[in-house]
Amino acid sequence: MQILAIDKMKEGVNDEILTPHLPQELAATINLYLEEKIRTFYFRKDRPGVVFILECESIEEARKTLDQLPLVQEGFLDFEYIPLGPLEPLKMLF
């Protein structure tokens, strides 16, 4: 199953707080990508932040996967998880 994970920065967190943690965050993100847990990742254009598309069996697995990220472990960041599936209305065309 693919899961859309949209970041939610905790209140009061700013660039000054985040910057020292970014090298470890990037390394952890790349490792999850190489493990094929994160399929794709994007930077948001509307505000600072990231969006991931994960390949996991469940929302719980996706949560456990992203809980490994340093910014999550430090309590600076959380995610909203949305399960994705096929476009069901396409069945009506067949």
Side-chain angles (χ1 to χ4, degrees):
M1 170 188 334
Q2 292 191 339
I3 297 170
L4 178 67
I6 302 170
D7 78 332
K8 298 185 294 184
M9 199 69 61
K10 299 288 179 93
E11 191 173 326
V13 175
N14 58 38
D15 287 344
E16 186 178 328
I17 293 169
L18 293 179
T19 300
H21 302 278
L22 293 181
Q24 296 90 348
E25 184 76 6
L26 179 58
T29 300
I30 296 300
N31 283 331
L32 291 173
Y33 173 78
L34 294 173
E35 291 172 8
E36 298 184 7
K37 292 293 186 180
I38 295 176
R39 285 293 198 185
T40 55
F41 48 98
Y42 301 94
F43 286 105
R44 296 183 60 146
K45 294 281 191 171
D46 60 335
R47 66 165 177 82
V50 295
V51 175
F52 296 128
I53 297 180
L54 297 117
E55 190 70 41
C56 295
E57 294 293 321
S58 65
I59 297 278
E60 185 57 36
E61 181 185 349
R63 185 175 274 99
K64 287 179 182 177
T65 297
L66 294 186
D67 280 352
Q68 299 173 47
L69 294 175
L71 293 180
V72 175
Q73 290 178 353
E74 292 289 334
F76 300 142
L77 188 67
D78 197 3
F79 286 89
E80 175 184 0
Y81 297 90
I82 303 168
L84 304 174
L87 187 60
E88 293 293 326
L90 288 177
K91 288 180 184 178
M92 294 186 308
L93 297 175
F94 296 102

